[in-house]
Amino acid sequence: MKLQLQIFCLIFATLWVGCLCTHGNAGKASKEGCFKTLFQFGASLFDTGNAVIAFPRQAFQPTRLPYGSTFPGYPANRFSDGKLIIDYLADAFKLELLHPYLESVGPETTNRTVRDYRRGVCFSVAMATALSVEELNSTGIEGKKLALNPFTSDSQFEWFQYFRERALESGTKSRGNLSAVLPSKEAMVNALYLPGEFGVNDYRVGLLSGLRVAELKKKVPSVVHKIVTLVKLHGTGARNFLVVGVPPQGCSPFYLTVLSGSKDRYNCLVEVNEIHRLHETMLKVALRDLREQLRDSNIMFADYYRAFMSVIKHPSKHGMKVRNVACCGGGGEYNYNPAAVCGTNSSRRCSEPENHMYWDDFHPTDALNKIIAAKFASGKYVEPPNVSLGCS
């Protein structure tokens, strides 16, 4: 059935895991068996603050309460009431939470903040797409009709290249205090690289541009191909990858409010989820092929769609009660109102976010992020199936 746009258009508390054990000649985690450095790429589900820095005047940023109300008790520039999946992974590795890359870029003569990046960096930016605006348009997804984040997957890769060059330079000559805050070459080789939920916003652009689902499905291979090329990080010496898929956003308060169409028994839009499920299937196959080509690497896939749906199907088993209604929003059937989004004076917050799957119209609660991260850690939703997710 064709989706119709309506009139208005947007762990580990007890977790003991620590690493993704490597295979063959892939990079080693560490002598203790745990990865000591993480590099995160993606969009808002994994953004620890780059969007707030890049777009300080942009509306609807997570810079006001109740964002961060669960953790740390004040806004932490994350689109959630608390931690993200990457935060729980960092906890598991006994690392500090990842600082956003943009927090300390710029000329050394400026009064920028200098952070300790030896244990990793977050390059993710909210609203980032896998494809560039030009690539979106060439595939028939009219990106020009909507405001897009210019910091796509390509941009984030370029950031990493610049970061890597400066880190390598810091190890060969005096760079003030930079050598004390940047990772070594060995650390970058043995790090875990996590391309996040690229594709979510590419499909959002297509759906909000009025592209039919049947047509949008034809664009999935282009998006998947772009994500797979991120493993070009292999050329920089990277050997350990955990590529994260996309969640079933047809269950989100956003899509349930702005789109109409047939719903399944869990009140999720069938056709929207078909796109995301196709994405997961194609990405999984593409990574299997890549695994055969790059036998010196440890290339893993985290099936975000299936992990998320396991909670959607059985919320009570996971200590949750509310599937599709946002904890924080401006009212309506799914507590999403584009005129009163979460964080504005007209919005309201539920009393028990731990019972909700969605924090706002598009993003999971701290509680759900913790659950999904734990599922990834169990290895049940990670491929290949013989990957062990524990410290030796």
Side-chain angles (χ1 to χ4, degrees):
M1 176 181 288
K2 177 182 176 181
L3 293 171
Q4 300 294 328
L5 282 172
Q6 297 182 354
I7 296 176
F8 56 89
C9 305
L10 233 40
I11 295 209
F12 293 135
T14 58
L15 186 62
W16 47 268
V17 300
C19 82
L20 303 170
C21 295
T22 58
H23 303 276
N25 296 318
K28 59 188 177 182
S30 74
K31 291 181 179 179
E32 294 77 27
C34 299
F35 285 110
K36 298 301 181 184
T37 310
L38 305 176
F39 292 110
Q40 177 71 61
F41 306 82
S44 60
L45 300 180
F46 292 90
D47 182 2
T48 64
N50 283 309
V52 171
I53 299 169
F55 311 108
R57 298 182 181 180
Q58 179 71 39
F60 315 138
Q61 292 278 32
T63 54
R64 298 179 60 186
L65 285 170
Y67 283 99
S69 54
T70 297
F71 178 88
Y74 54 85
N77 297 338
R78 289 158 168 79
F79 285 90
S80 182
D81 60 312
K83 293 183 178 181
L84 309 178
I85 290 173
I86 186 59
D87 293 324
Y88 280 112
L89 288 174
D91 284 346
F93 291 123
K94 297 180 173 59
L95 302 176
E96 292 184 8
L97 303 188
L98 296 186
H99 294 296
Y101 170 72
L102 293 180
E103 198 166 48
S104 58
V105 298
E108 293 182 31
T109 55
T110 64
N111 293 322
R112 71 180 190 277
T113 303
V114 177
R115 297 294 189 183
D116 187 345
Y117 285 149
R118 287 175 295 176
R119 299 308 181 193
V121 188
C122 175
F123 296 98
S124 302
V125 189
M127 296 299 292
T129 53
L131 303 176
S132 66
V133 174
E134 293 73 24
E135 289 170 328
L136 286 169
N137 291 332
S138 68
T139 61
I141 302 175
E142 296 297 326
K144 290 181 179 178
K145 293 182 179 179
L146 298 169
L148 292 180
N149 181 343
F151 303 122
T152 64
S153 61
D154 283 338
S155 299
Q156 293 178 32
F157 175 68
E158 290 172 2
W159 287 351
F160 171 76
Q161 286 184 306
Y162 177 73
F163 175 86
R164 177 177 177 273
E165 290 170 2
R166 287 173 64 85
L168 295 178
E169 288 175 2
S170 71
T172 59
K173 62 181 180 179
S174 175
R175 294 298 299 271
N177 63 347
L178 290 183
S179 61
V181 298
L182 294 176
S184 66
K185 179 178 180 180
E186 181 182 10
M188 288 188 287
V189 169
N190 295 326
L192 179 62
Y193 293 78
L194 298 101
E197 79 288 19
F198 285 119
V200 165
N201 291 315
D202 301 73
Y203 306 133
R204 180 189 64 85
V205 170
L207 289 167
L208 297 185
S209 295
L211 201 64
R212 295 188 178 190
V213 169
E215 288 300 311
L216 190 54
K217 285 182 178 179
K218 296 177 182 178
K219 317 304 178 185
V220 174
S222 297
V223 175
V224 168
H225 174 74
K226 190 70 174 186
I227 295 170
V228 171
T229 62
L230 271 179
V231 185
K232 59 190 175 185
L233 288 161
H234 178 273
T236 69
R239 292 296 180 269
N240 302 297
F241 302 89
L242 179 63
V243 182
V244 182
V246 296
Q249 290 290 39
C251 304
S252 69
F254 174 79
Y255 278 125
L256 288 168
T257 301
V258 304
L259 298 177
S260 62
S262 61
K263 300 182 180 70
D264 61 19
R265 68 172 75 177
Y266 311 110
N267 202 34
C268 301
L269 287 165
V270 173
E271 289 190 316
V272 174
N273 277 355
E274 284 179 356
I275 297 168
H276 294 92
R277 187 167 61 247
L278 176 62
H279 173 101
E280 295 291 88
T281 300
M282 297 189 73
L283 181 56
K284 185 184 300 184
V285 171
L287 292 174
R288 286 174 184 169
D289 293 341
L290 192 62
R291 205 173 288 128
E292 291 300 313
Q293 298 172 32
L294 302 177
R295 289 184 169 271
D296 65 338
S297 297
N298 185 27
I299 302 173
M300 295 157 285
F301 171 64
D303 195 332
Y304 200 167
Y305 186 98
R306 288 179 55 233
F308 199 109
M309 282 303 299
S310 70
V311 187
I312 286 283
K313 292 177 179 179
H314 305 288
S316 60
K317 284 186 178 181
H318 298 85
M320 312 203 90
K321 299 178 181 179
V322 186
R323 287 190 180 102
N324 313 102
V325 179
C327 172
C328 181
E333 183 177 1
Y334 302 103
N335 197 26
Y336 171 58
N337 180 348
V341 298
C342 182
T344 60
N345 293 333
S346 301
S347 66
R348 54 185 175 83
R349 172 192 181 275
C350 68
S351 59
E352 298 179 328
E354 66 275 12
N355 291 331
H356 285 247
M357 295 187 64
Y358 282 95
W359 165 245
D360 57 18
D361 58 302
F362 215 71
H363 306 96
T365 56
D366 172 278
L368 182 57
N369 282 328
K370 181 177 180 179
I371 291 170
I372 298 297
K375 286 180 177 291
F376 289 162
S378 73
K380 183 177 181 181
Y381 295 99
V382 176
E383 187 178 286
N386 61 339
V387 169
S388 174
L389 303 181
C391 290
S392 61

